[in-house]
Amino acid sequence: MNIVRENLEDLTTLLKVTVGEADYNEAVDKSLRTYRRKANIPGFRPGMVPMGIINKMYRKGVVAEEAYRTASKACFDYIETEKLTTVGDMIPSQKQQPLDFDNDTEYEFVFEVGIAPEVQISLSKKDKVTKYTIRVEEKMREGYRSNFLRRFGRLVDVEKVEKEEALDVTLEQGDTKIEEAYVGLIGMSDEDRAPFVGKKVGDTMDVDIAKLYKTPSQRASVLGVKEAELEGMDPNYRLTITKIRKFAEPELNEEFFKTAFPDGGVKTAEEFEQYVTRQIEGDLARESGFLFSIDVRKFLLKKAALVMPEAFLKNWLYTINEGKFTMEQIEKDFAQFVDMMRWNLIQKHFVSEMKLEVTPEEAKNEAKAMAAQQFAYYGMNQVNDETLENYAQSILGNKEENRKIYDRLFERKVIDAVTPQITVVEKEISADDFGKLAQEAQ
């Protein structure tokens, strides 16, 4: 066996592997013996087919398969021995010449390999990246406070519709009368809500239920019919308001604090306001940190200026997807894809240079934090550690989620390791302005 390496332009290498009978014969004989054991040919008992027949039927294909397998394994071994850092996977080269498996016994296979560029990044305090601090505004406090209290509030009867009330109504059309139908104003646009504002219990109005209930499923449910039966029905009804209820926030008393904060962490109205501020600051810090990570990543990508074997990578993507995508489709998202590969190389550089590690304990804590966020989304802010632990194990047991967690933690460690080496410019900014920056960064 012989391997010849030929470096092409644009960080692409050809590996030419010549294999002969001595390299693949043993594997071929073993494979043919397997064929013989399994062959089902009329006139012969299983396992008793003459090898001459087996050779005639299968040998050429088996030689082609085993010779290729031997050559490709030799290339992988060569890449490992020579410590070549590659991008993408090794693929058969378009420069491969036709092979004659009928007459030859020695074959040259040609493969292409994309070589990763060397990462060289020198950092100093002259390098600057801006980190934004988002101002906590009163409307944020009001929104968070309202959403939190809504979980513990209740509906109370009121006399008049103002904006976001819940209505019980009666719908009438001729002899048809539907009582205790529900109309929720909170989900309506200002335009749809306007005819109800100022109305009181007992007031009536003409409505088009196709406009009042936007989806066929909603209309069918209210009218007590199947969706298919809606077609051709008159949508005009007389509506009478029978009850008006409004959400009332709970009083900030001892009962509320025991219910909302069973751990006793918040006991007074003042402590509740402090809690609201802390939660908002935490959320804003995460958003700020996320944008800072994006900006550091962009800075490092620009600083490294890695030149990639782009022609090889496009061909590799086309090859491994087996024609599922055209070259035009690959071109569309290629710049983003290559930047992702550049970032992976930069991360590996810092992980190796600074000996960064992610421990199983860190991964478990990250998974627990994810689980806690999921519970919080459904209003469950006080979840015991055992439950979080079980959910974390479930998350980590999923290979894809496990990989994402480790990738995220390694990226975070790289950002944390790089940050002290550069100058971070702190800048306070409004939530609206931050939102514009975050949108531009996507």
Side-chain angles (χ1 to χ4, degrees), residues 48 56-58 161 177 295 311 322 352 379 411:
M48 300 302 292
K56 187 175 181 179
M57 294 178 65
Y58 302 112
V161 175
K177 185 175 184 180
D295 288 342
E322 300 178 337
S352 175
E411 177 170 311

Side-chain angles (χ1 to χ4, degrees), residues 117 120-121 299-308 342 346:
Q120 294 181 330
I121 302 180
F299 157 73
L300 291 173
L301 284 168
K302 184 177 180 180
K303 185 87 171 176
L306 300 181
V307 178
M308 302 289 281
R342 288 189 178 103
I346 290 170

Side-chain angles (χ1 to χ4, degrees), residues 220-236:
S221 176
V222 170
L223 298 179
V225 299
K226 296 179 180 180
E227 288 187 35
E229 298 173 339
L230 292 173
E231 188 174 354
M233 292 182 66
D234 183 358
N236 298 299

Side-chain angles (χ1 to χ4, degrees), residues 243-259:
K243 182 178 289 187
I244 305 172
R245 289 176 294 171
K246 183 177 182 179
F247 174 80
E249 293 183 351
E251 293 184 24
L252 301 185
N253 53 28
E254 183 178 357
E255 180 183 356
F256 163 73
F257 291 123
K258 283 184 177 180
T259 302

Side-chain angles (χ1 to χ4, degrees), residues 3 11 78 100 180 210 229 237 239 343 423:
I3 299 180
L11 294 173
Y78 178 88
D100 184 356
E180 296 185 357
E229 298 173 339
Y237 281 78
L239 179 150
W343 176 237
T423 297

